[in-house]
Amino acid sequence: MNPEEFFRKAGLKPRPLQLEAAKQLAEMIDTGSVGFQAPTGFGKTITVLAAISLANAFPVTWRVRTHEIAKRIAEDCALLNFPFYIAAGREKLCPLKEEYKSNTYYFCRFLKFKCPFFKGLSSIKPENIFSVDYDQLLRKLKGTEICPYYAQLYQQAHVYIIPYSLGLSFDVNLEVIDEAHNMVLDVYSIPEAKLREALAELDIHYEPTGDLIQQAFIETAQMKIVELLERGKMPLIAGRVIAMLARGTIVWREEGEIHILKFIRPRKRTIFVSATLEPLQKIYNIPVLEIPVQRKPEALIATWMTTRFHEWDYKMAKEYNDLIFLLRKHFQRIVVFATKRVARSLRADYVEEAPKDWKGVFLLFSRGKKGEGVNIESEVVVVAGAPYLPPFIHVEKLGLTHDDVATITTIQNIGRTLRHPENNPLIILADDRFRKLKPTLDRYYTNIETDDLHSLDKAIQKYKASHPS
């Protein structure tokens, strides 16, 4: 089958360059892992599904960050008549989750051979549990003693749509990572007080001697949880807290919080899909099929500002608040991304989710919970400070540089306001260190440097004159 026939059978009219991209990607899949970079609105999902079909590479797993994206992938599979299954983790499927609560992961991973539902898998009849998603599977297994979580491995599909962190290993030929820039580098945090509370439950002494949390310390805590479960005791919060730390590649302390950097190296032949793959392609040493960006949003770099740790004081905080005040004069909807350290000094309230028809300043943490699958429509998006990791975090062992990490996070943040082709916010990069990142950022944005608040104001007025609302 050729690409033209694929789209014709699907009843779809290919968008510009989709046929060529599907054909070339199909050829590249045969040689190993590849990257596919295309702008928002190109139709990446259909193109990748077409390439997989042309390469006869089904079945595949398709990793996604949110359930909303999973449903969108499923809709495209249904359109193309590809059988699919949307999987879920233990927190949704384990029959004993109410009993074990935050310890479910540890019971299931280390003590599953004592579980009556895991033992019940021996009586499973795959033809009786065929489902399109985990909800349907739960309904079919209701009243049985069969584990729904592991029963997912008995599903028959062309495309298994699974969360990033799902540990099940489906028998597939290929893996697709959707919005790959998010999966390979994710940073999240918990209050250090929570870790102290968890370790107190485990009767483990915690007196940190440095900024890094050693992996051996985390492994000791994990084994203590398993030991308690074997004795019939249930820690209240330790299971969830230690599991979060265990998923991290690098764990460190900073300003009263524990930060966890998760870095994933896929084990199978993989297609990395994103609108912004660079600089990830050098990490994995993969060829990338890149569809050129047709429209680059405009970005103004505020070169007189910085959130560099040793230069951050009340005067610099005032500069950032003056910037927000200026933007309020020009725009009604302003999204600001900042680290927690910087956000505490800004005259704006942190919110998890913008209300419908919102106006004002919407402040989010640079590495906060809001991820892919959201569309924050705004007139302007500000990255208040280049989001660097602390210098004592040695990302070099991951094949990264600190500039790479700051670039990836910046692109992620801005991308949350560019979910659709019609989205066209003005971008403000408020830190002189963004000039270091320009070689990569220039691939995605038209970057213009400004050297004080007055010149930024003039650039905004010029932008508004050329972009009438």
Side-chain angles (χ1 to χ4, degrees), residues 16-17 38-40 42 290-297 421 443-444 446:
L17 299 180
T40 301
F42 179 79
E290 181 179 349
I291 306 300
V293 175
Q294 301 300 313
R295 174 184 59 85
K296 292 184 179 181
R443 296 174 64 87
Y444 306 109
T446 300

Side-chain angles (χ1 to χ4, degrees), residues 46-57:
I46 293 292
T47 304
V48 172
L49 286 170
I52 294 170
S53 180
L54 294 172
N56 195 28

Side-chain angles (χ1 to χ4, degrees), residues 182-198:
N182 277 314
M183 182 184 177
V184 297
L185 184 66
D186 193 12
V187 179
Y188 49 97
S189 62
I190 58 174
E192 188 170 9
K194 278 287 184 188
L195 176 58
R196 290 185 180 276
E197 187 179 348

Side-chain angles (χ1 to χ4, degrees), residues 185-188 210-214 248-255 257-263 367 387-406:
L185 184 66
D186 193 12
V187 179
Y188 49 97
D211 295 312
L212 291 173
I213 306 293
Q214 299 300 322
T249 307
I250 301 175
V251 183
W252 72 96
R253 305 164 56 246
E254 185 183 2
E255 296 188 338
E257 296 206 322
I258 303 295
H259 299 269
I260 302 107
L261 183 150
K262 184 170 62 176
F263 183 78
R367 299 184 179 94
Y388 279 87
L389 292 176
F392 60 80
I393 304 300
H394 297 297
V395 295
E396 295 80 8
K397 68 179 183 180
L398 306 177
L400 291 161
T401 68
H402 279 272
D403 287 349
D404 291 336
V405 175

Side-chain angles (χ1 to χ4, degrees), residues 326 365 369 375 407:
L326 171 67
F365 297 143
K369 294 179 181 178
N375 175 27
T407 301

Side-chain angles (χ1 to χ4, degrees), residues 380-440:
V380 60
V381 54
V382 183
V383 184
Y388 279 87
L389 292 176
F392 60 80
I393 304 300
H394 297 297
V395 295
E396 295 80 8
K397 68 179 183 180
L398 306 177
L400 291 161
T401 68
H402 279 272
D403 287 349
D404 291 336
V405 175
T407 301
I408 293 168
T409 305
T410 298
I411 292 171
Q412 286 176 333
N413 292 166
I414 295 170
R416 297 174 199 180
T417 65
L418 296 172
R419 297 298 300 163
H420 299 298
E422 62 270 19
N423 296 149
N424 189 33
L426 172 65
I427 299 164
I428 308 290
L429 301 175
D431 196 317
D432 73 311
R433 290 175 292 174
F434 282 115
R435 287 187 289 184
K436 287 179 60 183
L437 309 182
K438 276 181 90 280
T440 299

Side-chain angles (χ1 to χ4, degrees), residues 103-332:
N103 305 295
T104 302
Y105 165 79
Y106 285 98
F107 178 76
C108 184
R109 180 181 175 188
F110 295 100
L111 303 173
K112 60 177 173 283
F113 295 105
K114 295 184 177 182
C115 175
F117 293 93
F118 185 79
K119 293 176 181 178
L121 289 167
S122 61
S123 64
I124 201 168
K125 294 182 178 179
E127 65 273 13
N128 294 337
I129 63 164
F130 174 77
S131 306
V132 297
D133 62 25
Y134 62 88
D135 273 334
Q136 188 179 28
L137 178 62
L138 272 175
R139 291 194 296 271
K140 290 189 175 184
L141 291 177
K142 188 176 182 180
T144 73
E145 283 204 348
I146 295 173
C147 172
Y149 176 70
Y150 284 104
Q152 296 181 112
L153 293 174
Y154 294 82
Q155 295 297 317
Q156 299 295 316
H158 277 35
V159 182
Y160 298 94
I161 308 167
I162 67 177
Y164 282 171
S165 58
L166 192 73
L168 292 178
S169 296
F170 292 88
D171 186 14
V172 296
N173 298 319
L174 181 70
E175 182 156 270
V176 179
I177 301 180
D178 206 288
E179 303 296 350
H181 55 272
N182 277 314
M183 182 184 177
V184 297
L185 184 66
D186 193 12
V187 179
Y188 49 97
S189 62
I190 58 174
E192 188 170 9
K194 278 287 184 188
L195 176 58
R196 290 185 180 276
E197 187 179 348
L199 294 175
E201 279 191 332
L202 303 177
D203 195 25
I204 293 177
H205 177 68
Y206 175 69
E207 198 58 52
T209 57
D211 295 312
L212 291 173
I213 306 293
Q214 299 300 322
Q215 196 64 33
F217 179 80
I218 298 170
E219 290 172 1
T220 297
Q222 291 194 94
M223 292 303 101
K224 189 63 178 287
I225 293 172
V226 176
E227 177 188 326
L228 289 173
L229 291 177
E230 286 186 302
R231 288 159 46 191
K233 295 186 177 182
M234 296 280 185
L236 294 177
I237 69 166
R240 185 176 303 278
V241 172
I242 302 304
M244 290 179 69
L245 269 59
R247 287 195 288 268
T249 307
I250 301 175
V251 183
W252 72 96
R253 305 164 56 246
E254 185 183 2
E255 296 188 338
E257 296 206 322
I258 303 295
H259 299 269
I260 302 107
L261 183 150
K262 184 170 62 176
F263 183 78
I264 306 297
R265 290 193 182 277
R267 298 176 181 177
K268 296 182 179 293
R269 186 168 45 131
T270 302
I271 305 177
F272 299 87
V273 181
S274 175
T276 49
L277 273 179
E278 194 175 352
L280 298 180
Q281 62 190 84
K282 74 176 185 181
I283 300 172
Y284 295 106
N285 192 27
I286 54 171
V288 173
L289 173 58
E290 181 179 349
I291 306 300
V293 175
Q294 301 300 313
R295 174 184 59 85
K296 292 184 179 181
E298 191 168 309
L300 304 179
I301 301 177
T303 63
W304 74 99
M305 306 171 75
T306 185
T307 60
R308 190 181 286 108
F309 188 82
H310 296 296
E311 297 181 46
W312 180 254
D313 56 17
Y314 75 94
K315 292 181 180 179
M316 189 58 70
K318 182 178 182 300
E319 294 281 359
Y320 280 86
N321 282 307
D322 288 346
L323 169 64
I324 293 174
F325 182 77
L326 171 67
L327 294 174
R328 282 180 180 270
K329 295 190 334 186
H330 288 290
F331 304 100
Q332 291 187 326

